[in-house]
Amino acid sequence: MIEIRQLSKRYPGKGKTEGLLALDRIDLHIEAGEIYGIIGHSGAGKSTLLRTMNLLERPTEGSIQVAGIELTQLNKKELQQQRSKIGMIFQHFNLLSSATVYDNIAFPLQLVNTPKHKVDAKVNELIRLVGLEAHRDKYPAQLSGGQKQRVGIARALANDPKVLLCDEATSALDPQTTQSILSLLLQINKQFGITIVLITHEMHVIQTICDRVAVIHGGRIVEQGKVVDVFLKPSHAVTQEFIMEENHLGDLSSWVSFKNGQGVHSRIMKIHYLGEVTYEPILHRVLSAAGIEFAILQGTISRMKDVPYGQLIIRMDGKEEALRHAAVALAEQGLEVEVLA
């Protein structure tokens, strides 16, 4: 659906200065119908990258193909036609303050001279989809942040796009509202098969709805793959930092002890469960058989989109040999085991 090859963007500098290289030789392939996340810190280049996908930002060099069409080669009229197939929602909603909910959603249709009866039918359909039936005649100032974003989503869907670009669509919202907006995006993806590309600096957004993810840092993609693989086996330091922040892991050294004279050691382990094994009592079974005491220091059981997963940080206390054998036994049961300290 979206194919990006060797994409670079350099903003011009003043005088003889070289300017800022915002994107550096980026390659991305986004499949039709998937939800693709791009995560990075502020200034990493993620917004610039997203805005190149509909040429709101024109790259300095490289190729951008959407549904097989090379956007950089289109004239103004052809580009406008292709942009109508690419919806976009924004962090700060970008609604018309003097227009009602109905009129905000109708605006893209009116721009292309859609007959009034078709506008009415489409807008009413979208208002029902995003759950704003009771608010159709209200103005943006009368709406909550979540309601404003629902208007933005409905407006982005007005022209039946094949792609929906989400520019930090939940970062201005509280956690409960964020979850409701993510659920709505997931529903839209499943119901209409729309390809969704979203950028964020929040790992939990990626975990909740994305199929695949790319990590951007310094204008370059430093890691990408299935969310499950990247989350459970991060290879780049930036990805590891995002995961540490999400799990609120601090200094682990204070959790480790050595019981002098008794030959009893402590080991901090990170245990990953994936799939239905998440709900089985493997940890208790293996460690009890090995005579090892353990304490759960931190943990979660959740889902990454449709995949059950669990992650525990535990301290195991026991003989050195028993600790080694226990780690091997857990791995043999299909768990990912990592020694942290």
Side-chain angles (χ1 to χ4, degrees):
M1 172 57 75
I2 301 175
E3 191 76 42
I4 293 175
R5 298 192 187 98
Q6 292 296 290
L7 189 76
S8 294
K9 171 68 178 182
R10 184 181 292 277
Y11 291 102
K14 294 182 178 180
K16 296 182 179 180
T17 59
E18 190 175 18
L20 172 67
L21 183 62
L23 301 175
D24 186 10
R25 294 166 292 164
I26 284 179
D27 292 315
L28 276 183
H29 175 75
I30 299 172
E31 297 281 355
E34 75 174 333
I35 302 180
Y36 196 97
I38 300 170
I39 189 170
H41 292 299
S42 296
K46 56 186 185 294
S47 289
T48 302
L49 175 56
L50 189 80
R51 290 166 67 87
T52 62
M53 294 182 191
N54 59 3
L55 249 59
L56 288 179
E57 290 282 357
R58 187 169 285 273
T60 306
E61 57 183 322
S63 170
I64 306 165
Q65 291 187 12
V66 178
I69 297 174
E70 177 58 53
L71 297 188
T72 61
Q73 301 300 316
L74 301 179
N75 61 37
K76 185 176 180 180
K77 182 177 180 181
E78 291 169 337
L79 182 57
Q80 287 176 340
Q81 291 174 340
Q82 291 306 311
R83 279 179 176 160
S84 71
K85 303 175 185 178
I86 304 172
M88 191 163 188
I89 59 176
F90 303 89
Q91 177 181 1
H92 297 297
F93 321 125
N94 288 17
L95 302 180
L96 301 171
S97 60
S98 60
T100 63
V101 167
Y102 180 98
D103 291 331
N104 265 282
I105 299 171
F107 184 66
L109 296 167
Q110 294 165 344
L111 281 178
V112 293
N113 298 315
T114 306
K116 188 178 184 307
H117 71 280
K118 290 187 176 180
V119 171
D120 195 55
K122 188 65 176 180
V123 173
N124 287 328
E125 173 193 338
L126 290 170
I127 285 176
R128 286 193 297 272
L129 175 69
V130 300
L132 292 177
E133 296 97 321
H135 306 283
R136 57 175 284 133
D137 297 320
K138 291 183 179 179
Y139 292 89
Q142 299 172 289
L143 303 176
S144 68
Q147 289 165 347
K148 290 177 184 177
Q149 195 57 283
R150 287 173 181 269
V151 177
I153 292 171
R155 181 185 58 187
L157 296 175
N159 283 317
D160 297 318
K162 302 300 181 185
V163 176
L164 184 60
L165 306 179
C166 305
D167 188 359
E168 294 274 14
T170 61
S171 63
L173 306 175
D174 63 76
Q176 184 175 356
T177 306
T178 290
Q179 191 60 43
S180 72
I181 294 298
L182 294 178
S183 296
L184 177 59
L185 291 174
L186 188 57
Q187 174 193 341
I188 289 167
N189 170 257
K190 290 182 176 180
Q191 186 172 337
F192 302 108
I194 295 176
T195 304
I196 296 178
V197 185
L198 62 86
I199 63 168
T200 183
H201 60 274
E202 300 171 299
M203 197 68 191
H204 75 90
V205 171
I206 300 292
Q207 294 169 341
T208 301
I209 65 169
C210 292
D211 300 294
R212 291 193 297 140
V213 61
V215 183
I216 189 169
H217 178 67
R220 305 194 73 177
I221 299 298
V222 296
E223 188 165 2
Q224 60 182 304
K226 293 180 179 179
V227 172
V228 169
D229 296 335
V230 172
F231 178 71
L232 295 183
K233 298 178 181 178
S235 61
H236 194 274
V238 173
T239 316
Q240 294 167 3
E241 180 183 334
F242 272 116
I243 293 170
M244 292 284 279
E245 289 172 356
E246 176 68 16
N247 293 327
H248 310 292
L249 296 180
D251 181 15
L252 300 176
S253 60
S254 62
W255 294 353
V256 183
S257 63
F258 171 68
K259 299 179 181 179
N260 191 27
Q262 300 176 37
V264 177
H265 296 256
S266 293
R267 188 163 295 168
I268 305 299
M269 308 284 285
K270 181 190 288 185
I271 312 292
H272 290 145
Y273 304 76
L274 190 62
E276 295 305 318
V277 71
T278 301
Y279 305 117
E280 298 180 14
I282 294 174
L283 187 63
H284 178 269
R285 188 166 60 234
V286 169
L287 298 187
S288 295
I292 292 174
E293 295 181 347
F294 71 96
I296 297 175
L297 305 176
Q298 188 181 88
T300 184
I301 293 177
S302 187
R303 303 181 80 88
M304 277 187 273
K305 200 169 183 181
D306 297 322
V307 180
Y309 82 97
Q311 180 175 270
L312 298 179
I313 308 294
I314 67 170
R315 190 187 73 204
M316 303 193 305
D317 298 324
K319 302 287 187 181
E320 184 65 30
E321 185 176 358
L323 293 173
R324 285 198 300 268
H325 285 311
V328 172
L330 290 171
E332 289 175 345
Q333 293 291 316
L335 308 187
E336 293 282 342
V337 181
E338 178 185 353
V339 178
L340 299 180

